[in-house]
Amino acid sequence: DAYAAWNISEQFKLTMGQFRSPFLASSQRDENELFFLDRTVLAHLWSTRDQGVMLSGQYDMLGWWLAAQNGLDGVGDDTADSVQDDVSAWNLEANLVAGPFSAEGSYAAHDDGFGALLGLTEGPSIYALAAGFMFVPDRWEAAIRYEDLDDDDSTTVLTLGINYYAVGHDAKWGFNYAVLDSDDSSLEIG
């Protein structure tokens, strides 16, 4: 990444340059701070870096981002006749931490242009739900995550995880077990 950021006020910040696409908060997390060993499929789709400008802010517990970036094709050619010129998406996310319990959910709807980039017949509406419980304070955590990829093969992913935090997220052990279910039997694991 190479960017410059200016604090406009206590609640507003302007960023210009190359940075992570701010479409999903879960795609913004550093790898060492992930709840599971890997990102959700949705977060993988949006954990790209691109050139652009972003206005962001924080007010109490509410954080937000608004960005205009180069785009998925990476060439910045608005005159090219390609599916990438007509891609749009929106999302909704929520996170909760209450004592030893944590939960998060994300939902993103993509148009047919985005679906075509993924080789799908229509734009997917992908969602992921996760919950965790710290059963030994600051040391042991159990977690579960469910993802529905809304693809042509009705693919879902269920991930079970357990984390041991030796020194917070800086030194931890994690074990995950994932089951991928799909109408395409060549994709199934677990």
Side-chain angles (χ1 to χ4, degrees), residues 72-73 80-88 111-118:
L72 297 170
D73 59 1
D81 185 22
S82 67
V83 71
Q84 289 92 336
D85 291 331
D86 297 316
V87 172
S88 64
D111 70 1
D112 291 346
F114 194 95
L117 286 174
L118 301 175

Side-chain angles (χ1 to χ4, degrees), residues 32-158:
N32 68 324
E33 294 180 359
L34 295 176
F35 202 38
F36 292 89
L37 296 177
D38 209 352
R39 297 182 190 282
T40 64
V41 172
L42 186 57
H44 270 293
L45 291 175
W46 289 99
S47 62
T48 60
R49 288 170 161 75
D50 204 355
Q51 297 172 2
V53 61
M54 173 174 60
L55 183 64
S56 60
Q58 183 79 31
Y59 181 76
D60 199 22
M61 296 186 339
L62 177 67
W64 57 273
W65 304 268
L66 177 64
Q69 291 183 284
N70 185 29
L72 297 170
D73 59 1
V75 297
D77 186 356
D78 293 331
T79 62
D81 185 22
S82 67
V83 71
Q84 289 92 336
D85 291 331
D86 297 316
V87 172
S88 64
W90 64 271
N91 83 64
L92 179 64
E93 287 185 284
N95 296 294
L96 169 73
V97 176
F101 177 76
S102 60
E104 63 185 33
S106 57
Y107 173 85
H110 305 83
D111 70 1
D112 291 346
F114 194 95
L117 286 174
L118 301 175
L120 303 174
T121 56
E122 58 185 36
S125 296
I126 302 172
Y127 72 88
L129 302 170
F133 186 76
M134 189 74 71
F135 60 92
V136 175
D138 299 324
R139 289 286 185 232
W140 287 97
E141 176 181 45
I144 186 170
R145 177 173 67 201
Y146 178 80
E147 302 173 72
D148 185 330
L149 306 187
D150 189 34
D151 61 1
D152 295 339
D153 297 316
S154 300
T155 306
T156 60
V157 182
L158 177 67

